[in-house]
Amino acid sequence: MSGIVIHLPQEPAQTVRLGPGEVARFGRGSEAAPVELRLADPSVSRLAGEIRVTDEHWLLSNFSATQSYLVENPEGAGEYLRVPPRRVGAPIPFEFARVVLPTRGSGVSFHVFAPDHVYLDPSGPEGDHRGTRTLTAYSLDQTAAYFLVLVALCEPRLRDESALAVPTTPEIVERLRRHPQYGRLTARAVSAHIDYLADEKLRIVPPAEREPGRGARRNGKRETLVGVALRFGLVDERHLGLLPARTPSGAGACR
């Protein structure tokens, strides 16, 4: 695994990138207990826990003496893990996870994206582990929300409705509104999925340009995503069935 991205959506939004062997601590923080991910809630410990990245997965440690943390799979069928107090190094299997800490309110949460999982080379003999493993160039989960956003971006080209236009973020929100799972998808969430595809999945944005404030340049980013996805066959006509049915009045509206 090349690394993970930790994103705290609450204001002020924070994004932390970690490579294998790196660690990020989270909590309210203090001079005596500095943290990389600051959770500004009085119910959260100053040093609440840490995330550590290995070559294969990421680990969550819970430093609380009394509170359990939840790790949810937002794009699954309700799967979650409970990390009990003082648990160190719990391995997390989800590619996209929401870590939830209990508070006196609705809770504090942040997202963890683990982009590149390692798979066996399908062409190699079973049990032959000599040499280095083959990594998937574009590791895409077709059940994930980011893939649905990618299909919506590619839809006009796949339907030959437009040679140039790529859907805007509001158009994607409107296009997916009738989907049973993503009816409440927000423009901010769609933008985050586009950034995730560009930065981590298809890697069209060089690491040096992955800085706060650069995300506003999404027009060229969306067009490049569509170009890469279609050229390499990552999205094709078969995937259009993942999108909700188009209404007659909006049959050509998702440009």
Side-chain angles (χ1 to χ4, degrees):
M1 189 168 66
S2 64
I4 67 171
V5 177
I6 307 170
H7 180 64
L8 178 68
Q10 291 91 345
E11 295 296 338
Q14 303 172 60
T15 299
V16 177
R17 302 176 187 276
L18 300 177
E22 295 184 326
V23 176
R25 292 171 292 185
F26 57 88
R28 278 164 50 219
S30 67
E31 290 186 6
V35 295
E36 287 72 30
L37 192 68
R38 188 176 297 277
L39 307 176
D41 188 288
S43 302
V44 175
S45 302
R46 295 192 181 277
L47 186 57
E50 75 172 22
I51 289 174
R52 182 180 299 272
V53 182
T54 74
D55 289 334
E56 309 292 347
H57 53 274
W58 59 279
L59 307 169
L60 177 66
S61 294
N62 179 357
F63 294 161
S64 172
T66 58
Q67 302 285 356
S68 293
Y69 301 158
L70 292 182
V71 184
E72 302 172 340
N73 179 7
E75 297 177 338
E79 301 95 338
Y80 70 91
L81 299 174
R82 182 183 296 111
V83 181
R86 313 306 294 176
R87 174 71 160 92
V88 175
I92 308 301
F94 306 137
E95 180 180 6
F96 175 37
R98 178 188 294 117
V99 180
V100 182
L101 282 65
T103 67
R104 293 189 176 185
S106 57
V108 171
S109 65
F110 55 87
H111 297 144
V112 180
F113 299 84
D116 295 322
H117 289 180
V118 177
Y119 297 89
L120 292 176
D121 186 348
S123 63
E126 292 185 4
D128 185 358
H129 300 292
R130 293 173 295 177
T132 59
R133 288 164 296 183
T134 300
L135 301 179
T136 304
Y138 298 119
S139 177
L140 298 175
D141 180 357
Q142 296 186 10
T143 66
Y146 66 76
F147 188 79
L148 196 66
V149 169
L150 182 60
V151 175
L153 283 170
C154 296
E155 182 181 24
R157 302 270 178 96
L158 291 172
R159 295 190 189 276
D160 293 327
E161 292 173 352
S162 171
L164 298 175
V166 175
T168 64
T169 295
E171 287 173 336
I172 293 175
V173 172
E174 182 65 26
R175 180 68 181 92
L176 301 181
R177 181 164 293 171
R178 298 185 63 185
H179 194 286
Q181 286 183 258
Y182 303 111
R184 296 184 178 180
L185 194 68
T186 64
R188 177 176 292 183
V190 168
S191 295
H193 286 304
I194 290 172
D195 287 341
Y196 179 55
L197 284 161
D199 296 351
E200 307 299 334
K201 282 301 189 178
L202 305 190
R203 297 180 294 281
I204 66 171
V205 178
E209 297 183 11
R210 300 176 189 178
E211 301 172 1
R214 300 269 184 148
R217 303 177 181 178
R218 289 197 177 90
N219 286 338
K221 188 181 294 186
R222 291 197 305 267
E223 293 171 358
T224 305
L225 282 173
V226 170
V228 171
L230 296 182
R231 283 199 304 270
F232 286 95
L234 306 177
V235 175
D236 58 33
E237 289 82 357
R238 296 170 298 173
H239 298 119
L240 292 175
L242 298 174
L243 297 171
R246 299 196 296 178
T247 60
S249 60
C254 184
R255 308 175 335 165

